Amino acid sequence: KKIFLLGHSWGSMLGMKVIEKYPNDYVAYIGLSQYCDPLQSDAIMMAYFSQQTQENSDKSTLKKIRSIPKLDEEDTDLVQRTKALFPLAIKFGGLYHDSSYSNLMRLALLPILTLKEYNIIDKYRAMQQNEKRLKIYYQDNFFESLTEVKIPVYFIHGKDDYVINYALTKKYFEMLKAPKKQFYTFEKSAHFPSFEEPDRFHTIMIEEVLPTYQ
């Protein structure tokens, strides 16, 4: 009878649109690494990567960053661009607080691969980059298109997240109108706070979110 909707990253774009359109179907929404303005977030991320390489005098990596096409270029291959950004996000900590490929496997890929609720085709699609999906991701700006919702919202965001910028999402949260809202900062997380700090995430869900509606 009472449905809680949680959206993470790309799914948080869908999640906000769903509760905007069907507010009576959901008791509350949890935005995990909440989407708001992908173009501005991307610009902040690129500037951060460049700054990090310059401070470390890493000319080779800086050259790679400068070779990555901009989003406003018509012939930009979004799939290849995303693949080029991925190792940079791992290297500089914008994806995981403690960045490493082993963390990537342990925190993100392993749960997908071992989840019993989905078959092998579903799992392959979940990990596959898709041009159409990426185009959808970059086409909206919630600062302009979605400024009010009719149900309580809880945003959970890692402070080191540069995939979806932490400060930008917090700014969006502050201007968003909702009957009730709460923002949780995860100090030791980046883009995957529920995996990086699972105990705190579990405590918030069980002890703070759920009891409000029982």
Side-chain angles (χ1 to χ4, degrees):
K1 293 182 179 180
K2 296 184 178 182
I3 301 173
F4 291 82
L5 181 65
L6 184 149
H8 171 247
S9 192
W10 197 92
S12 70
M13 173 187 65
L14 298 181
M16 287 290 287
K17 289 176 178 287
V18 167
I19 65 167
E20 180 190 35
K21 190 171 184 179
Y22 304 106
N24 295 329
D25 291 348
Y26 301 94
V27 66
Y29 169 73
I30 301 100
L32 194 61
S33 305
Q34 178 61 51
Y35 169 107
C36 57
D37 183 349
L39 293 178
Q40 189 175 349
S41 182
D42 184 274
I44 295 171
M45 177 175 64
M46 296 298 289
Y48 171 71
F49 290 165
S50 296
Q51 179 188 359
Q52 292 296 307
T53 54
Q54 289 171 354
E55 288 179 356
N56 296 314
S57 300
D58 187 348
K59 294 181 180 180
S60 176
T61 303
L62 183 60
K63 186 176 180 180
K64 291 179 181 178
I65 293 171
R66 289 176 174 171
S67 69
I68 295 174
K70 296 180 180 179
L71 288 169
D72 57 2
E73 296 177 9
E74 291 185 5
D75 59 344
T76 297
D77 185 326
L78 291 177
V79 173
Q80 293 304 317
R81 185 181 189 275
T82 301
K83 289 181 178 179
L85 288 172
F86 195 75
L88 295 172
I90 293 177
K91 180 176 182 177
F92 296 118
L95 193 62
Y96 295 100
H97 178 75
D98 294 318
S99 293
S100 70
Y101 280 97
S102 62
N103 269 346
L104 168 65
M105 290 297 296
R106 179 174 61 85
L107 297 175
L109 294 183
L110 190 59
I112 292 174
L113 293 173
T114 57
L115 199 65
K116 296 179 180 179
E117 285 78 6
Y118 298 98
N119 61 39
I120 190 65
I121 296 175
D122 295 327
K123 294 172 182 179
Y124 172 76
R125 288 173 175 169
M127 293 183 290
Q128 187 182 36
Q129 295 296 342
N130 179 282
E131 183 81 12
K132 182 178 180 180
R133 185 168 64 186
L134 288 169
K135 283 183 177 179
I136 292 172
Y137 177 82
Y138 286 111
Q139 73 182 9
D140 213 335
N141 178 352
F142 282 177
F143 281 97
E144 299 175 356
S145 66
L146 211 170
T147 59
E148 183 176 5
V149 292
K150 303 298 183 182
I151 67 171
V153 295
Y154 300 86
F155 284 7
I156 297 173
H157 216 104
K159 199 168 186 179
D160 290 340
D161 191 348
Y162 277 91
V163 177
I164 296 181
N165 184 261
Y166 164 81
L168 195 61
T169 295
K170 195 168 186 180
K171 182 180 178 182
Y172 172 65
F173 172 83
E174 290 169 355
M175 62 87 68
L176 179 68
K177 295 180 180 178
K180 179 180 180 180
K181 60 181 185 177
Q182 182 70 42
F183 191 100
Y184 298 92
T185 298
F186 276 42
E187 299 283 348
K188 298 179 181 179
S189 296
H191 192 58
F192 293 86
S194 59
F195 293 151
E196 296 179 272
E197 297 180 69
D199 290 342
R200 185 175 180 222
F201 175 77
H202 181 268
T203 297
I204 290 171
M205 292 296 99
I206 301 302
E207 297 183 5
E208 297 188 36
V209 177
L210 286 175
T212 308
Y213 305 97
Q214 291 177 345

